[in-house]
Amino acid sequence: MAIYHIRIKVFKRSAGHSVIAAAAYRAGLCLLDRVTGIRHDYTRRKHVVASLNLAPQGAPEWAMDPTRVWQEANSAERRVDACLAREFEISLPHELTDAQRLKLVESIANALIEKYGFAIQASIHAPDKPAGLNHHVHILATTRRIDEFGFGKKTRELDGGKEGGRQVYWVRAMVAGKINEHLKAAGLSERVDHRKLSAQAMDALQRGDLVEAAKLSRQPTQHLGRAATALHKRGELSKRQRINDGIAEANRARIQALMGRLGDSLPARAPASQVQAVVTGTQVIDPSVAVTQAVLAASLKAGKLTVGASTRPAASKTGNKKQDALAAERREREDEIERLLLEAQRIWQEGLNESLRTALAGNMAILFEIKPLIRQYGHLYTFASDVKQFHQAITQAERDRSRFRRRMEAWGRARVKLSHAKADLDDFDAKNPRPGLWSRREWAERRRARATRLAHRQRDCDRAFKATDPDAQTRYKRQSDESLATLRNVGKRFAERYLSGLGNPEPAQSAPVEPSAEEETQLQVSKRRGRGSRRPGVSQPLPRGPQVPK
């Protein structure tokens, strides 16, 4: 489906930004900064599909020339903290062809020029991978209006404040409208929406489309940015990437839980009048339907979605503080159990090899009987401990299984970077065998920087290669086998303790399961210290068979 994304940023001289370098990088050009004397050469840059320069009618001819317009824009700003350019980064529908995307970009650029009167350079980029879908355009705009006399007044309405917010909303709505127009003209049914997720979800709820409202009840992830993306390409996790992973997992658990409630209690679509009555509180329909709709409506009307929150209705308070606290603690524990089991189910379903599936053969009810398990054993502390242990085992098995593949990918990226560094140094030596226009010191500093980068890339490549040698492969294989064996034992023990009595209000006591040596040691230590009761942070022995208090 078509994805809507737009990001607006500014290039500031006080932050060390160079509008010449930005224009050269986005268009894949070689531009010389006449102020600093630095040549920004990005002619070898790949994935630049097209680049066009546009300006208002009557503007000078040099406004259409990228080698001059950005020099003039840079010279027009005299302050040391001046904003040099403004960029609109927009995702383009991958369903369109290259020619259709070019027409779409021209339409968006002309609308911006008509509104603000500035000069524009629009560079369309293709995805890094052949099968990628990240088609996008970088629209680099001057911060001043331009006419037949050259650059004039600044576009202050885009600088910020309430007016800036209104202008940004206009840009977002305009871009969404242009994209939808071109999708419709191409005969495609896909559409994009520039509104917030909460507004889209509330609109779906008002229409009675509860499935769509449940899918839209998610928290948006954060933009990674250049630094985090570079770390991700090197195979490293940034702080923002970890935050996004947590948000994605919580969103997945929340949506699956909501969809489960919808599947259990009501059809995918309910009459709009019925939904409106529930949202406004003027009518009470079937309780199971009302609960699901009320959960969605309350979250959306408040404008805040609780990530990972349970979709079970909140229990009424009894007035007894102790009982209410115990009930709240139990609900939190059951929510955590549900989240861990749903995540384990996702890990099992997404791209796992046959060895991991074989490790859980015969015990798959663990992952597909989540609600009955929570309903029957969710009140047990030991059950929560078992679920955490099972989740940790399957996560570790998947991590160890894919470790060698990740190391090979990292080695491939290191080799590409090494070849680029070698080519950069060779190109510098070929074009600048002697200082030339530079001083000897400047020439030496430039060459030293390239040689240092090459040394660093060589070191990274050697390190990545060492992580894929035969010894490393043997180590990865041993770790993977150990993790699979642990997962097999944990799954078998979990099934014997809980699945045997599933569905029986009073399950019969199964034959006791012999504890492992580690569990026996923990039990003996607990008895010697007189700590039979559970304490936070202390690992407890697992129960011998399903235990339900009378």
Side-chain angles (χ1 to χ4, degrees), residues 48-91:
V48 179
V49 178
S51 184
L52 60 155
N53 285 76
L54 302 172
Q57 288 185 347
E61 291 185 1
W62 53 259
M64 310 288 288
D65 184 1
T67 61
R68 288 197 57 191
V69 63
W70 300 113
Q71 303 286 354
E72 299 294 337
N74 195 32
S75 301
E77 307 297 340
R78 302 185 180 276
R79 292 173 60 96
V80 295
D81 59 345
C83 292
L84 305 174
R86 183 174 284 107
E87 183 185 49
F88 303 84
E89 180 185 313
I90 304 171
S91 290

